[in-house]
Amino acid sequence: MCSGCSTKNGVFKLSNLVHFVMASYSRFDLVMLFFIRHSPVAQYLLITQKGENMKFVNITTAWIYVAFLSTICHLSLGANYQDQGNRTSLHTDGDIVLGGLFPVHRRSDKTENACGEIDRHPGYQYLASMLFALEEINNDSTILPGIKLGANIYDTCRSQTIGSDGAKEIIKYALREENGTPPLSGVIGPFRSDVSVAVANMFRVFNIPQVSYGSTTPVLSDKEIYGYFLRTVPSNSYQGKAMVDVVLYFGWSYVMTVYSPGQYGEKGMEKFYEEAERAGLCIANKKKLPAFPTEGDYLKTIQELQQTRKANSNGKVDVVVLFCIQRDNRGLVQAANKVLKNGEKFYWLASNSWGDRKEVTDGAEEAGDGAITINYIEGKVNRFKEYFLNLKPSNNKYGPWFDEFFQETLKCKLVNSSRPLNYSRECRLNDSLPQDLDIAPVRVVMNAVYAVTHALNNMHRELCSGKSGLCAEMKHLKREKFLIYLKNVTFQDASLSSKVTFNQNGDVDGDYNILNFKKIEEKFRHVVVGNWSGALSKDGNIKGHINLDERQILWGVGKIKTPQSYCSKLCSSKQITVPELVNARCCWRCESCQSNDIITNNTCSVCSPGSIPSQNLTVCVQLPVIFPSWSDIRAKVLTAVASVGIVSSITTALFFFMNRRHRVIKASGRELTGILFMGVVSCYVSVLVHFMKPTNTLCGVRRFADSVSMTMCYAPVLLRTNRIYRIFKAAQKSVRRPSFVSPISQMLVAIGITGVQCLITMIWVLSKPPNAVNSYSHKEYVILECSTDDFNVAINLCFNAILMFVSTVFAFRTRNFPRNFNEAKYIGVTMYLSCSVWVIFLPCYLNAANSIYKSYFLCSSLFLIGTITLLGLLVPKIFLVYFGNTAIGPAGDTLTGTFTGHQGRSEQSQHGQEPTSGNKYKMENTASSLT
């Protein structure tokens, strides 16, 4: 019969109800309504209260609950796993009882339902520390006066199923209401997170508070589900944050991870991933170990880590973050010791399950050398250590498991023990535990015991008004009310100077030591090199602070340089990072921008025309704008000679004007000479125009000045040669004067020819308006130039080229005419030199590197054409005026030339004939027409 299953409406056997339910499966709905009506516990499980709203959970949960109560009420059913009997539990009497769940033995490597060897560190020592704390409390009259605390402790073997069986036994005890049965206040434990999760739901159903000393999974911080769970160790949320802060401290951005299955490893690593994501870290490899890994699994894991490292050719990843249980930590280190050769090494960053435990690295210290581990701030409880190390089997108070611990520690066999181990050496009577025995961090266990004790003491003081012993209210302990006292308890830490309190999640704030596993004086040790402290802020986020002394850290084989762990090397300042598809925040490739790009927000941005990137590619720098100007040495030379040409032209023109009535000046044709002077001066002026800063207007002026100035030089020359040619040819046939040889007609024709060039240029200007534009053909500077192209320039100059060519032809054809009567020789030389200028100019102009050189070639050509015209056709007249002779023809006409009295005759002779009277008349007429 289950005495804990009575209801207000009567007493019935719940086991019989369960059997009835199972037999009445076809009428399940009616049975469930009956069960809910008569069982307060069922009502609690089946409904979830949120304010005034009551919601029924699914029917499957009810069936599970029915089956669970059935097993509880069948007292004859025992634990169905190996190593039964007194090995699984320990009971001490007291007025109030504390339950206990401890990993006295390790879990079997093959199944969840069997225990393995005894867990010397920390399992059994945790159990011993609880019993030691209870003994201290019971001997302290200031705490719970007149009340003795007892214990019901069960071995979990680090197994969820075995731990759940222990929880079932504690619940069975809590459900008894027999007279004289001491009340159960709460449960200390269990150690592993997955075991705590498995039993926490069971304890909550029966309002049993639970204080764990080792379960760190963040899941248990959810008070809506685990409202009766508290712990004296920080949640792995703190540890995940602490480990990320360690990674950031050392400048690592790319790490590999390995974790164990279950609440501890999986949930702990989830928190690490969350904090890593928030901090911008990347994970190269996420490896989850099997539930029951073999040596081959560990070796395969190490090989996978090696392959990940080799695949990262652009970076270096040597750091492995471990969130594993102690067994898996040891397996990985042992596997690394076998696989890694020739100086290969991984740098481990491990959670508190490695901490300072020597068992992890025993026999494989070289593989673990340099590891950084996280551990609780243990705080040595010296009074426990002193007492525990003096224990012997003869004075053992700590249950049937101490014999196993003693034998396993000393590697000997107790002959008279109920559980002798298979060692050949027998333990001696004077054998004792070694004084250098590694003591587990039992502070957290003692804090858990003292948390329950101080909460009971506060409750006793309030309910019993300070009376010694249990009052009636305490004998019928209401654990849901006791939970309130437990959550608000504050007491002195078992070994530290700080106070212990629980935050809103039922956790203690995170305080960790950071350890370095290194070799000191030929012996490997875990040395504290720093610490991390964190607290839960009001917004629910964890704020932490890390403090490390890097000078104390050795990274293996005495290395003091911090290893690197990154996916990709930093790109140079002149490159951008192109993220990879995987782990884009940490993995990238470097690419260079184009020559005219700058880098803005990791993007190549082309500089606008006229600017170039700065040296560090951060800003665009404007290029200097250049054009042919007065400051350039070539421009200065051309300006100087053009100025001399202008002065010379003006001086010559003044001479012509002053001697305009002289026979030589009159014979040269004053009208055409005036146009010729204007053309020569225009050529020189055009040179100067090219050295002014280009504007739209100035570019139009240049087009007209360059072409029209040459036309004004070539048109008079063409007309002169054509006039001479026609007059002499006509004189050979007739005495009649040719048409259009008068000065006025010649001037009008010259103006017309010049007008044609103006028309051609005007068409060019209108079809392609001249503009001052920037040319960006050079990287070092920008050229301010007039918009044009070689084809249009060639078309515009073709008319002048034709004029020059025709003038040259006429000059050539009149080369043998009597020089006393014409300027054919001077014109011929002038045209020959002009042709030479054009032959040199055109190839140079068309192949010039830029518009500046084209301007210089064009200016040089204009200067040469103007100078050749000035010196070849105009300056000689000055010599004729001063040094030449004036002859009078037969008809009294004036003849000009530099000749003697016999020269005319000799020239006639050269043609092979004497001048006849008719010819004489024609020649005289011709001479008259040239004046």
Side-chain angles (χ1 to χ4, degrees):
M1 173 180 172
C2 180
S3 61
C5 298
S6 61
T7 70
K8 294 180 180 180
N9 299 325
V11 180
F12 62 93
K13 290 186 178 180
L14 186 57
S15 59
N16 292 338
L17 172 61
V18 173
H19 294 161
F20 172 76
V21 169
M22 301 302 292
S24 306
Y25 179 78
S26 62
R27 306 196 60 183
F28 176 79
D29 293 339
L30 294 175
V31 173
M32 290 307 301
L33 289 174
F34 175 82
F35 181 75
I36 294 169
R37 179 182 179 88
H38 292 280
S39 176
V41 178
Q43 292 174 12
Y44 180 85
L45 177 66
L46 292 175
I47 60 176
T48 301
Q49 183 174 354
K50 294 183 179 180
E52 297 179 355
N53 298 324
M54 307 291 286
K55 296 183 180 179
F56 282 84
V57 298
N58 60 68
I59 225 70
T60 305
T61 306
W63 267 109
I64 295 172
Y65 176 72
V66 171
F68 171 70
L69 285 186
S70 176
T71 59
I72 291 179
C73 294
H74 284 74
L75 300 181
S76 60
L77 294 178
N80 185 22
Y81 54 85
Q82 299 177 17
D83 296 324
Q84 299 178 8
N86 62 2
R87 186 174 187 176
T88 63
S89 64
L90 184 151
H91 306 278
T92 61
D93 296 331
D95 300 317
I96 298 177
V97 174
L98 275 67
L101 295 173
F102 287 87
V104 181
H105 292 85
R106 298 185 185 278
R107 186 178 62 177
S108 170
D109 293 335
K110 299 180 180 179
T111 176
E112 189 80 21
N113 297 322
C115 296
E117 62 184 11
I118 193 166
D119 187 353
R120 296 187 299 122
H121 188 290
Y124 180 75
Q125 294 187 42
Y126 277 172
L127 164 69
S129 66
M130 176 179 177
L131 296 175
F132 176 78
L134 289 176
E135 187 174 350
E136 274 191 337
I137 293 166
N138 289 333
N139 293 331
D140 189 349
S141 60
T142 62
I143 303 177
L144 294 175
I147 299 175
K148 180 182 178 182
L149 296 179
N152 289 341
I153 301 175
Y154 295 88
D155 185 3
T156 65
C157 297
R158 297 180 180 245
S159 165
Q160 297 180 55
T161 56
I162 298 175
S164 297
D165 285 333
K168 181 186 67 175
E169 295 300 322
I170 295 174
I171 293 172
K172 285 164 56 178
Y173 177 86
L175 291 176
R176 295 171 186 164
E177 293 184 352
E178 298 176 359
N179 295 331
T181 301
L184 177 75
S185 59
V187 176
I188 306 300
F191 174 62
R192 282 190 51 170
S193 294
D194 51 359
V195 180
S196 284
V197 171
V199 303
N201 286 320
M202 300 165 62
F203 287 145
R204 184 192 181 199
V205 172
F206 297 97
N207 300 338
I208 300 175
Q210 174 188 0
V211 183
S212 174
Y213 48 84
S215 300
T216 57
T217 177
V219 170
L220 293 167
S221 295
D222 187 349
K223 296 300 106 175
E224 291 188 2
I225 301 176
Y226 304 102
Y228 280 76
F229 179 86
L230 297 92
R231 50 187 162 192
T232 56
V233 290
S235 164
N236 278 344
S237 299
Y238 295 93
Q239 189 165 195
K241 171 66 173 172
M243 295 176 77
V244 167
D245 285 350
V246 171
V247 171
L248 293 175
Y249 183 91
F250 290 119
W252 301 329
S253 60
Y254 198 53
V255 297
M256 298 178 284
T257 60
V258 183
Y259 58 95
S260 298
Q263 290 293 334
Y264 175 79
E266 290 186 64
K267 299 302 179 181
M269 190 57 81
E270 282 181 12
K271 286 299 178 181
F272 177 83
Y273 290 154
E274 287 179 15
E275 295 294 339
E277 176 74 17
R278 192 174 292 114
L281 303 179
C282 297
I283 310 302
N285 184 298
K286 298 179 180 181
K287 176 65 177 179
K288 177 183 176 181
L289 295 171
F292 298 97
T294 62
E295 182 180 358
D297 293 323
Y298 295 129
L299 293 173
K300 183 180 178 181
T301 299
I302 297 300
Q303 291 168 354
E304 288 181 11
L305 296 179
Q306 280 186 305
Q307 292 174 0
T308 301
R309 176 163 61 183
K310 292 178 181 178
N312 186 36
S313 58
N314 293 330
K316 186 176 183 182
V317 52
D318 292 332
V319 176
V320 182
V321 178
L322 301 179
F323 227 119
C324 302
I325 61 176
Q326 181 176 331
R327 176 200 65 191
D328 292 341
N329 286 327
R330 175 171 174 78
L332 290 170
V333 174
Q334 295 287 343
N337 195 48
K338 295 178 181 179
V339 174
L340 301 179
K341 303 295 181 183
N342 302 323
E344 282 188 291
K345 186 173 183 59
F346 286 129
Y347 298 97
W348 312 101
L349 172 58
S351 61
N352 67 291
S353 60
W354 181 331
D356 61 351
R357 298 174 188 174
K358 297 179 181 179
E359 292 87 345
V360 174
T361 54
D362 278 346
E365 287 83 1
E366 297 296 335
D369 190 14
I372 300 294
T373 64
I374 307 295
N375 202 17
Y376 310 127
I377 295 181
E378 296 178 355
K380 296 180 180 179
V381 185
N382 292 323
R383 61 186 187 276
F384 169 77
K385 178 180 180 180
E386 181 181 355
Y387 182 82
F388 185 72
L389 293 180
N390 289 321
L391 286 178
K392 293 184 179 181
S394 58
N395 63 355
N396 167 41
K397 300 180 182 179
Y398 293 161
W401 299 297
F402 180 75
D403 286 357
E404 288 184 72
F405 177 85
F406 188 82
Q407 294 175 84
E408 191 66 43
T409 302
L410 297 181
K411 308 300 180 185
C412 63
K413 180 173 64 175
L414 288 172
V415 180
N416 298 325
S417 172
S418 60
R419 296 288 178 178
L421 300 184
N422 190 24
Y423 285 106
S424 59
R425 186 178 75 85
E426 294 185 3
C427 300
R428 297 186 295 269
L429 293 176
N430 59 347
D431 281 345
S432 61
L433 295 174
Q435 295 301 304
D436 61 348
L437 180 68
D438 191 16
I439 301 298
V442 298
R443 176 184 68 90
V444 291
V445 179
M446 297 183 66
N447 280 344
V449 176
Y450 272 97
V452 175
T453 302
H454 282 283
L456 285 171
N457 188 57
N458 294 339
M459 188 177 187
H460 177 267
R461 187 182 300 118
E462 184 175 328
L463 297 181
C464 300
S465 302
K467 295 180 181 179
S468 179
L470 286 178
C471 59
E473 290 81 357
M474 289 289 289
K475 287 182 180 180
H476 301 283
L477 185 65
K478 294 183 179 180
R479 287 182 292 271
E480 61 272 20
K481 186 174 182 180
F482 169 67
L483 178 65
I484 300 174
Y485 288 93
L486 184 58
K487 288 181 176 180
N488 293 286
V489 73
T490 300
F491 59 95
Q492 186 66 39
D493 190 277
S495 64
L496 303 178
S497 59
S498 59
K499 296 284 186 178
V500 178
T501 58
F502 297 108
N503 59 27
Q504 61 264 38
N505 292 334
D507 305 331
V508 294
D509 289 335
D511 292 302
Y512 298 96
N513 281 331
I514 301 174
L515 297 87
N516 179 215
F517 183 67
K518 60 182 179 179
K519 196 172 187 179
I520 301 177
E521 297 178 354
E522 301 303 320
K523 187 176 181 180
F524 285 96
R525 299 177 183 176
H526 290 90
V527 178
V528 177
V529 294
N531 57 75
W532 184 92
S533 299
L536 192 66
S537 60
K538 292 182 180 180
D539 59 3
N541 294 323
I542 297 174
K543 306 297 182 182
H545 174 72
I546 188 172
N547 181 31
L548 272 173
D549 186 358
E550 286 191 78
R551 297 172 298 178
Q552 296 188 45
I553 299 177
L554 295 180
W555 296 101
V557 200
K559 293 181 180 179
I560 60 175
K561 185 178 180 181
T562 302
Q564 294 180 314
S565 193
Y566 57 90
C567 182
S568 300
K569 294 180 180 179
L570 291 176
C571 299
S572 70
S573 60
K574 297 184 179 181
Q575 292 178 314
I576 63 170
T577 59
V578 180
E580 300 289 357
L581 296 178
V582 180
N583 286 322
R585 288 187 303 182
C586 305
C587 302
W588 58 78
R589 64 182 183 275
C590 298
E591 289 188 359
S592 299
C593 296
Q594 298 295 324
S595 59
N596 199 42
D597 289 351
I598 62 171
I599 298 176
T600 305
N601 296 327
N602 196 40
T603 304
C604 293
S605 301
V606 63
C607 287
S608 60
S611 60
I612 60 173
S614 61
Q615 188 67 25
N616 56 5
L617 304 186
T618 56
V619 294
C620 292
V621 179
Q622 292 296 323
L623 288 171
V625 179
I626 64 172
F627 53 87
S629 62
W630 313 107
S631 59
D632 187 77
I633 184 65
R634 290 165 293 190
K636 290 179 179 179
V637 172
L638 287 172
T639 299
V641 295
S643 299
V644 172
I646 292 173
V647 172
S648 301
S649 300
I650 294 174
T651 302
T652 305
L654 290 174
F655 178 83
F656 271 60
F657 179 77
M658 294 172 64
N659 296 280
R660 61 186 178 280
R661 300 189 183 280
H662 193 278
R663 294 178 182 271
V664 173
I665 302 303
K666 290 173 67 177
S668 64
R670 290 171 294 184
E671 293 77 6
L672 291 181
T673 301
I675 295 175
L676 196 60
F677 269 115
M678 292 173 61
V680 172
V681 173
S682 296
C683 286
Y684 291 136
V685 172
S686 295
V687 171
L688 302 180
V689 170
H690 278 272
F691 302 142
M692 299 172 66
K693 184 176 181 179
T695 62
N696 294 343
T697 302
L698 188 64
C699 289
V701 171
R702 282 186 184 180
R703 288 189 183 183
F704 282 97
D706 294 342
S707 57
V708 173
S709 60
M710 286 189 280
T711 304
M712 293 172 70
C713 290
Y714 292 138
V717 174
L718 172 62
L719 291 174
R720 280 189 178 185
T721 55
N722 176 265
R723 181 174 177 240
I724 294 171
Y725 178 78
R726 286 192 300 124
I727 288 176
F728 275 91
K729 285 298 183 181
Q732 293 177 2
K733 299 177 182 179
S734 170
V735 295
R736 185 178 178 182
R737 187 173 183 177
S739 60
F740 299 109
V741 294
S742 66
I744 297 299
S745 62
Q746 291 279 296
M747 183 184 69
L748 293 176
V749 172
I751 294 173
I753 293 174
T754 305
V756 171
Q757 179 61 59
C758 289
L759 179 62
I760 294 173
T761 306
M762 181 60 69
I763 294 173
W764 180 25
V765 169
L766 294 177
S767 61
K768 289 189 175 181
N771 294 305
V773 297
N774 289 324
S775 173
Y776 307 109
S777 57
H778 293 266
K779 296 180 179 181
E780 297 80 11
Y781 48 82
V782 176
I783 299 176
L784 181 60
E785 62 184 14
C786 293
S787 59
T788 184
D789 58 81
D790 294 341
F791 177 77
N792 286 305
V793 171
I795 293 298
N796 190 48
L797 294 178
C798 273
F799 186 69
N800 288 308
I802 293 172
L803 293 178
M804 180 206 65
F805 178 74
V806 174
S807 299
T808 304
V809 170
F810 279 117
F812 179 79
R813 298 190 67 174
T814 60
R815 68 189 185 282
N816 293 323
F817 286 1
R819 61 180 180 178
N820 298 338
F821 304 99
N822 64 76
E823 301 173 289
K825 182 176 181 180
Y826 297 106
I827 293 175
V829 173
T830 300
M831 290 298 101
Y832 300 151
L833 292 176
S834 293
C835 282
S836 300
V837 171
W838 277 83
V839 169
I840 296 172
F841 161 70
L842 282 176
C844 293
Y845 180 88
L846 296 176
N847 291 284
N850 52 54
S851 60
I852 293 179
Y853 286 102
K854 289 182 178 182
S855 293
Y856 287 137
F857 284 128
L858 182 57
C859 291
S860 300
S861 300
L862 290 170
F863 168 76
L864 291 174
I865 290 172
T867 302
I868 290 171
T869 303
L870 177 65
L871 297 179
L873 298 179
L874 299 174
V875 173
K877 304 298 182 184
I878 299 176
F879 290 93
L880 288 175
V881 170
Y882 285 105
F883 306 107
N885 296 319
T886 302
I888 305 298
D893 295 326
T894 302
L895 304 178
T896 61
T898 55
F899 61 92
T900 62
H902 303 284
Q903 187 174 2
R905 187 181 297 110
S906 63
E907 289 181 352
Q908 289 282 347
S909 313
Q910 289 177 5
H911 288 81
Q913 61 179 4
E914 289 292 328
T916 62
S917 60
N919 285 335
K920 279 185 179 182
Y921 175 74
K922 292 177 182 179
M923 294 292 290
E924 289 167 358
N925 246 354
T926 300
S928 177
S929 69
L930 290 173
T931 59

